[in-house]
Amino acid sequence: MPPKKDAKVEKPMLGRPSNNLKMGIVGLPNVGKSSFFNALTNSSARAENFPFCTIDPEESRVAVPDPRFDWLCDFYKPSSKVPAYLTVIDIAGLVKGAHEGQGLGNAFLSHIKAVDGIFHLCRAFEDSDVTHVEGDLDPVRDLKIIHEELRLKDEDFINKQVEGRQRDVSRLGQGGTAADKAKKEEFEIWKKVQKWVCEDKKDARDGDWNGKEIEVINQMYLLTAKPVVYLVNLSERDYVRKKNKWLVKIKQWIDENHPGDILIPYSGAMECTLSEKETAEEKEAYLKELQTKFESPIPVTTILPKIIVTGYQALQLIYFFTGGPDEVRAWTIRKQTKAPQAAGVIHSDFEKGFVMAEVMTYEDLKSAGSEAAVKAAGKYVQKGKEYVVQDGDILYFKAGRITDGKKK
């Protein structure tokens, strides 16, 4: 009998294993966090020109824009439409020394610990009417301040944990039970993380960790393990013209220190004004006015949809669709989720009694034009418990009867 092929084992991902994840807006005071939050969510969080205006984090959900969802709604014409949502939290500004309690540092850092990813917002516009907590404009310095505050908070936590665990491991001696060996192995991972974050002064998320190490790191809830999307707040003029002297320097700093992270320039002033326009015609007129005013060769568009999608993807979230005349819904799951667990997002009984998933892709349905045509083409397939759900799958689950386990 030929040997079985080794199944590919996916490395676990950093972060909480949940589909209910949140992005927090982080930055120095007066860089435009609350204004961005207001524009993003059309809410009314206070936006004032002084530090610590936002003390209690504001939270809101924003729909994730997706033309696939729009097409499915046109196709099925359902009574109910439920898109995927991204939860966003506006966190008050950090200042230098926050890890030691400066400003309202300890409270704010605990708010950051409660989110799963970070929109790191920095200011790259001059405005004498908007004070800068550091006295002058230097977004690269501002990025460094925030990163160092988060890292120092992790450093303090890791050092205390390693010190306490060192005493516990020392008492175990040589050999020991399987549990003792597991505790020693976990301690070695703590020391490895300590060297990376505390001695090498790097973010936990930038390390090359194996599966076991990631499992331990996920139990640490480190601030520097969270994914980051960088947002640069520009003036209307710079955003429309796509020019700002700081953008190249910011991009260079990100590439040198956190390669692969995404940088998105946007204009808080423009997005706030746009969000206050009540009709599509008013919004279009305002964007055309900006294009003419600043002599842009291309139309001016909002960047908020891209920011929402990027934040959603940074959390390693995807969604599958269910569709029919009653409802079209996008169901949020994390990448690497298998079919039974995806079914459980709809109802826990679907996971317990999972039999199979019937799968077709959005692309196949759109190109074929009907479910019957997808089936006729042999592209409507049945998948079992090991199927890993892909982004944009259209799924129908079959589940067996759930019993209480008692003999009749």
Side-chain angles (χ1 to χ4, degrees):
M1 181 183 294
K4 291 183 179 180
K5 291 183 179 179
D6 291 335
K8 182 182 178 182
V9 178
E10 293 282 357
K11 191 189 327 188
M13 297 178 288
L14 283 173
R16 289 192 300 130
S18 169
N19 67 334
N20 183 24
L21 304 179
K22 304 173 182 180
M23 289 291 288
I25 306 169
V26 176
L28 293 177
N30 292 353
V31 296
K33 297 184 302 300
S34 292
S35 297
F36 166 68
F37 179 82
N38 292 345
L40 191 68
T41 65
N42 263 334
S43 68
S44 55
R46 294 175 300 279
E48 303 295 341
N49 176 26
F50 53 87
F52 317 125
C53 165
T54 308
I55 297 176
D56 296 322
E58 304 274 355
E59 179 174 333
S60 187
R61 292 197 314 161
V62 291
V64 179
D66 189 341
R68 299 175 301 179
F69 178 79
D70 298 336
W71 185 89
L72 288 171
C73 289
D74 288 339
F75 178 77
Y76 286 109
K77 296 179 173 50
S79 304
S80 173
K81 305 173 183 179
V82 185
Y85 288 95
L86 175 68
T87 301
V88 182
I89 297 179
D90 178 22
I91 298 172
L94 290 177
V95 295
K96 189 182 292 185
H99 72 286
E100 298 174 330
Q102 292 296 318
L104 297 172
N106 288 328
F108 298 163
L109 287 166
S110 70
H111 293 157
I112 298 174
K113 196 161 190 172
V115 302
D116 303 280
I118 294 171
F119 282 131
H120 189 159
L121 198 154
C122 67
R123 168 182 163 186
F125 66 88
E126 297 278 3
D127 189 337
S128 58
D129 294 331
V130 181
T131 58
H132 195 294
V133 72
E134 288 295 316
D136 62 337
L137 184 67
D138 185 345
V140 174
R141 174 204 60 208
D142 297 349
L143 290 173
K144 292 177 181 178
I145 288 174
I146 296 295
H147 268 282
E148 187 63 0
E149 290 303 320
L150 300 184
R151 193 196 63 77
L152 286 170
K153 191 66 176 178
D154 279 353
E155 180 176 315
D156 181 57
F157 169 74
I158 292 168
N159 284 336
K160 288 177 180 177
Q161 287 288 320
V162 170
E163 183 180 347
R165 290 165 186 269
Q166 175 78 66
R167 291 192 294 268
D168 294 340
V169 170
S170 297
R171 287 195 289 266
L172 296 177
Q174 300 295 321
T177 65
D180 291 341
K181 291 178 181 177
K183 188 173 287 188
K184 291 175 183 177
E185 289 175 4
E186 185 173 316
F187 179 65
E188 290 303 314
I189 296 174
W190 273 93
K191 289 203 297 183
K192 184 175 179 180
V193 175
Q194 182 186 43
K195 181 181 185 305
W196 181 263
V197 175
C198 307
E199 297 178 24
D200 299 343
K201 301 189 183 305
K202 296 179 180 179
D203 283 8
R205 65 195 176 89
D206 294 325
D208 183 18
W209 313 106
N210 62 35
K212 178 60 179 176
E213 289 165 348
I214 289 174
E215 290 177 2
V216 174
I217 291 171
N218 283 344
Q219 297 168 13
M220 299 179 187
Y221 300 104
L222 299 177
L223 301 177
T224 62
K226 302 178 189 296
V228 179
V229 176
Y230 295 91
L231 306 177
V232 182
N233 192 0
L234 307 176
S235 65
E236 287 182 337
R237 178 176 180 271
D238 287 356
Y239 175 77
V240 172
R241 294 170 65 247
K242 309 297 181 190
K243 292 180 181 179
N244 179 281
K245 67 178 183 179
W246 291 106
L247 284 177
V248 173
K249 296 176 183 178
I250 294 169
K251 184 68 166 65
Q252 183 179 3
W253 182 84
I254 293 172
D255 289 345
E256 288 176 356
N257 294 277
H258 307 283
D261 282 0
I262 295 175
L263 166 67
I264 303 177
Y266 85 105
S267 171
M270 188 201 88
E271 298 293 355
C272 277
T273 302
L274 189 63
S275 70
E276 291 166 358
K277 305 295 182 184
E278 294 185 356
T279 66
E281 290 75 16
E282 288 177 330
K283 294 178 188 289
E284 185 178 354
Y286 170 64
L287 293 174
K288 284 186 176 179
E289 177 188 330
L290 289 179
Q291 182 182 2
T292 302
K293 180 179 179 181
F294 298 116
E295 300 177 345
S296 172
I298 58 174
V300 181
T301 58
T302 175
I303 200 70
L304 294 185
K306 180 179 179 180
I307 292 175
I308 295 169
V309 171
T310 303
Y312 191 84
Q313 293 173 343
L315 295 172
Q316 303 292 327
L317 296 175
I318 60 173
Y319 42 83
F320 64 89
F321 298 110
T322 54
D326 292 332
E327 180 181 77
V328 168
R329 183 186 287 250
W331 299 89
T332 294
I333 56 175
R334 253 197 140 196
K335 286 182 179 178
Q336 301 180 11
T337 298
K338 293 183 178 180
Q341 289 69 49
V345 173
I346 299 176
H347 196 289
S348 59
D349 283 354
F350 287 5
E351 179 176 358
K352 294 173 185 174
F354 179 87
V355 174
M356 71 172 70
E358 296 181 341
V359 186
M360 62 178 166
T361 68
Y362 161 81
E363 290 78 10
D364 287 340
L365 177 60
K366 186 176 180 182
S367 62
S370 70
E371 292 183 12
V374 174
K375 292 177 180 177
K379 294 182 177 180
Y380 191 93
V381 296
Q382 296 178 337
K383 297 289 186 179
K385 292 182 178 180
E386 294 304 309
Y387 176 68
V388 177
V389 177
Q390 302 300 304
D391 183 53
D393 277 352
I394 302 171
L395 301 180
Y396 299 93
F397 295 105
K398 290 188 176 181
R401 184 180 176 184
I402 306 299
T403 63
D404 60 11
K406 296 178 181 178
K407 292 183 179 180
K408 301 295 184 183

